[in-house]
């Protein structure tokens, strides 16, 4: 199987890295030359990654085509490409719907929308897909955890949550800097913060079948540090502002 990536940004690079370090069977990965430095690095790092001449040559030579471009670029170039009816096309584009993709692609190929995030390079993280597709599900399960979505409207909610990735890293950065200001060396501060939140996330995953309010309650003691932390952030409106931000991100998909 030949895989083709139109777009070679962070997400494409992460997915390609995950694929190349997995047990997925493929003969070649073709990448677009748009981002020359990223494409070159990938072809140097992985023997079966080849930089294609242009986007159409990727479509011509691939069984599966991954659209890893911005909505603006997607609106411009997808309709110009000549796809084949027997291809599987996987779109990572946030705001172009399935019906819009079908209209632009023209042929009756299998089209799936997916939301991979950078940790997929480590073969970790959820990958919501719509519509459900067994082959695509099995594919992403080899480099992450596939979540099949049966309603495209619901997919918007997951896209909205994906917009909280950078805010999460910013939270880690702020706490790291807080420790540094108090005399902790940056490497130790950063190692502590990242390791702590990795452990907390893993604990949350283990307990994910329970309501998360259980963990909130269990991590507090009366008049303890964590009780103070939750109370003060709640009083400041921190958590309501998180919800407000998610609503604001979500509105971008309603246009």
């Amino acid at each position: 199987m030949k895989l083709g990536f139109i777009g070679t940004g962070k997400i494409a690079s992460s997915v390609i890295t995950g694929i190349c370090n997995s047990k997925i069977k493929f003969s070649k990965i073709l990448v677009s030359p748009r981002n020359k430095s990223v494409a070159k690095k990938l072809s140097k790092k992985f023997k079966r990654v080849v930089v294609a001449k242009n986007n159409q040559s990727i479509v011509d030579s691939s069984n599966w085509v991954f659209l890893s471009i911005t909505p603006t670029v997607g609106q411009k170039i997808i309709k110009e490409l000549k796809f084949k009816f027997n291809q599987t096309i996987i779109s990572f584009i946030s705001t172009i719907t399935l019906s819009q993709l079908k209209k632009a692609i023209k042929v009756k190929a299998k089209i799936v929308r997916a939301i991979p995030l950078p940790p997929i390079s480590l073969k970790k993280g959820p990958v919501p897909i719509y519509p459900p597709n067994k082959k695509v599900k099995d594919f992403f399960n080899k480099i992450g955890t596939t979540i099949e979505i049966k309603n495209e409207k619901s997919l918007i909610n997951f896209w909205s949550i994906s917009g909280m990735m950078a805010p999460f890293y910013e939270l880690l950065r702020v706490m790291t800097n807080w420790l540094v200001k108090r005399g902790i060396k940056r490497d130790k501060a950063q190692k502590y913060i990242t390791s702590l939140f990795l452990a907390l996330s893993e604990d949350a995953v283990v307990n994910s079948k329970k309501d998360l309010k259980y963990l909130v309650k269990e991590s507090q003691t009366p008049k303890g540090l964590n009780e103070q932390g939750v109370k003060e952030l709640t009083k400041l409106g921190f958590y309501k502002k998180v919800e407000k931000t998610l609503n604001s991100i979500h509105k971008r998909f309603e246009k």
Side-chain angles (χ1 to χ4, degrees):
M1 181 166 71
K2 289 182 182 178
L3 309 174
F5 281 78
I6 294 175
T8 45
K10 178 66 177 176
I11 296 300
S13 177
S14 298
V15 174
I16 291 166
T17 300
I19 293 168
C20 291
N21 290 324
S22 74
K23 292 180 180 179
I24 292 172
K25 292 178 181 179
F26 68 96
S27 58
K28 191 184 288 185
I29 294 178
L30 295 165
V31 297
S32 60
R34 183 176 172 84
N35 190 326
K36 288 181 182 179
S37 60
V38 175
K40 199 173 181 181
K41 280 179 187 176
L42 287 167
S43 64
K44 276 188 175 182
K45 190 174 181 181
F46 304 111
K47 290 180 181 179
R48 287 183 285 172
V49 173
V50 177
V51 182
K53 289 179 181 179
N54 52 50
N55 291 329
Q56 187 58 55
S57 67
I58 291 172
V59 174
D60 293 341
S61 304
S62 303
N63 304 106
W64 284 24
V65 179
F66 296 81
L67 304 175
S68 187
I69 44 184
T70 64
T72 306
V73 174
Q75 297 282 6
K76 287 179 183 177
I77 71 167
I78 295 172
K79 59 187 178 184
E80 304 298 331
L81 297 170
K82 294 178 182 178
F83 293 90
K84 293 178 254 183
F85 74 94
N86 59 348
Q87 286 178 316
T88 296
I89 300 158
I90 301 168
S91 172
F92 300 158
I93 306 169
S94 59
T95 56
I96 299 182
T97 65
L98 187 64
S99 61
Q100 289 170 332
L101 286 167
K102 285 179 178 178
K103 191 176 178 181
I105 288 167
K106 296 164 190 169
V107 298
K108 288 185 177 181
K110 287 178 184 174
I111 306 170
V112 177
R113 297 182 68 195
I115 315 174
L117 294 172
I120 203 165
S121 65
L122 307 172
K123 295 186 289 181
K124 290 186 178 183
V127 185
I129 67 167
Y130 171 83
N133 180 295
K134 190 181 184 305
K135 287 184 179 179
V136 176
K137 177 186 176 181
D138 292 344
F139 179 90
F140 281 117
N141 269 339
K142 290 183 173 73
I143 51 175
T145 305
T146 310
I147 300 171
E148 290 187 303
I149 309 297
K150 293 180 181 179
N151 183 309
E152 190 170 20
K153 239 180 179 180
S154 295
L155 198 70
I156 295 169
N157 300 324
F158 291 92
W159 272 114
S160 301
I161 291 290
S162 76
M164 299 305 288
M165 180 174 61
F168 170 72
Y169 289 136
E170 176 66 3
L171 181 63
L172 301 188
R173 188 194 69 81
V174 168
M175 288 188 285
T176 297
N177 283 351
W178 187 89
L179 286 174
V180 171
K181 286 174 185 176
R182 280 150 185 79
I184 310 297
K185 287 185 178 180
R186 182 165 294 278
D187 60 339
K188 287 186 179 178
Q190 199 155 296
K191 186 175 182 181
Y192 174 76
I193 293 296
T194 54
S195 297
L196 171 62
F197 279 80
L198 172 62
L200 292 173
S201 295
E202 287 181 344
D203 189 34
V205 170
V206 169
N207 289 282
S208 62
K209 288 185 179 179
K210 302 173 186 175
D211 191 312
L212 287 176
K213 67 182 180 182
Y214 162 81
L215 285 179
V216 178
K217 186 180 177 182
E218 288 295 304
S219 60
Q220 298 177 61
T221 53
K223 296 183 180 179
L225 304 178
N226 281 278
E227 183 186 72
Q228 180 183 348
V230 169
K231 279 186 176 179
E232 289 193 14
L233 287 171
T234 301
K235 193 175 180 180
L236 288 167
F238 176 82
Y239 302 109
K240 283 188 177 179
K241 284 180 180 177
V242 169
E243 190 174 350
K244 189 178 179 182
T245 299
L246 284 168
N247 288 336
S248 179
I249 293 170
H250 190 275
K251 281 183 181 178
R252 292 179 63 177
F253 295 90
E254 296 173 345
K255 291 177 182 179

